Structure formats: structure tokens, C-alpha cells
Amino acid sequence: SFLQQRYQFIANILGTFLKTDVSVADTKSWMTVLETTNFLLAHEKPPLSVLWETSFNKDFPHTLFLAPPTTICVECCTPLQAHNKPTAVICYTLTGPLPAAKITLRCPSCRLNYGYDQYGNNSTGGYRYYSTKQPFVKASNSS
């Protein structure tokens, strides 16, 4: 599931930062406490060096996560589920390229797909952009 993937990524980063293995179950417990106390809003993300080290140790990007800006379907309010495994992509920033994990979700009820920059599907009228702006612009070398 999407939440399980999210907790696994966070456990990987915490494990690198703390220099020990961190279980997904422990991570889930800690995140519940941190999210309910607004602790996460008051603190910055982990140092980039920790994110790079985690990326190298796990052989998958942990430096940046490109995910839809919602975890609830905008049409029917159903919680979204992981649609595909996260994929490795490259984000080109003003300071250079940065490996990232791209996450896609899907509504199990109305079958809308949720990408980083837009949601919808071809059989129900196409795709729409989110009302909130995302920090990166999508580009591709494929058609």
C-alpha cells in the first residue's frame, strides 16, 4: 500500500541517520506521535547528506519524493492507494540534477489516477491539473 511504502522510505532514512536498523512498525508509531503533535511542521527535512547516503545504501532515490498533493480522491473522497511501484526519475534544479522517487496513486472506487502534476484517466474525460501548484514542472524526452 501507499502508506506502507511511505513508512518504508522514512524507516530507511531514519536508519541511515541513526546508524541502526529501524522497523516500519516503529516508524509508524513515531510518525503517529510526531504528526499529531505538529512536530514535523516545526522541523526541517533531514540533511541532504543523510538522504544521499540512504539513496546509495538502498540503491533507490531518497533525496526527493514527487507525489500527488493529496491522499484522498478529489471526486469521491476515498483514500488513494499505490498504483505502481515508485519509479526513479531525475529532477533538474537550478543547482543541478537530483535523483527522485516518483509516486503514483489511484482511487480504488472511481479509478482516477493521481500523478505528481495531474489526475484523471482517459475514459472519464482526460486529465486535470491540481488546484495547488507543485514546485517542479513535468518534462520528458519521450512522447
Side-chain angles (χ1 to χ4, degrees), residues 73-135:
C73 181
V74 298
E75 297 291 327
C76 69
C77 298
T78 301
L80 302 177
Q81 297 178 350
H83 180 50
N84 296 311
K85 287 185 174 184
T87 56
V89 298
I90 302 291
C91 281
Y92 294 94
T93 70
L94 295 176
T95 57
L98 192 62
K102 184 177 80 167
I103 296 153
T104 58
L105 304 175
R106 175 179 261 182
C107 177
S109 179
C110 62
R111 313 294 285 170
L112 290 179
N113 299 312
Y114 287 78
Y116 172 74
D117 59 340
Q118 51 187 323
Y119 67 96
N121 66 36
N122 290 329
S123 64
T124 61
Y127 285 81
R128 294 171 285 287
Y129 288 100
Y130 299 107
S131 59
T132 58
K133 292 182 182 180
Q134 294 283 65

Side-chain angles (χ1 to χ4, degrees), residues 12-80:
N12 293 344
I13 294 166
L14 286 171
T16 300
F17 187 74
L18 299 172
K19 305 291 185 206
T20 187
D21 286 336
V22 176
S23 74
V24 171
D26 286 343
T27 300
K28 185 176 180 179
S29 297
W30 295 338
M31 291 299 294
T32 301
V33 170
L34 296 175
E35 288 170 344
T36 57
T37 61
N38 289 327
F39 177 85
L40 297 176
L41 296 176
H43 293 81
E44 295 183 25
K45 63 183 179 181
L48 192 56
S49 60
V50 171
L51 301 177
W52 273 105
E53 185 178 345
T54 307
S55 297
F56 287 122
N57 290 344
K58 299 298 180 182
D59 198 30
F60 194 81
H62 284 67
T63 50
L64 182 64
F65 295 92
L66 303 176
T70 183
T71 57
I72 303 294
C73 181
V74 298
E75 297 291 327
C76 69
C77 298
T78 301
L80 302 177

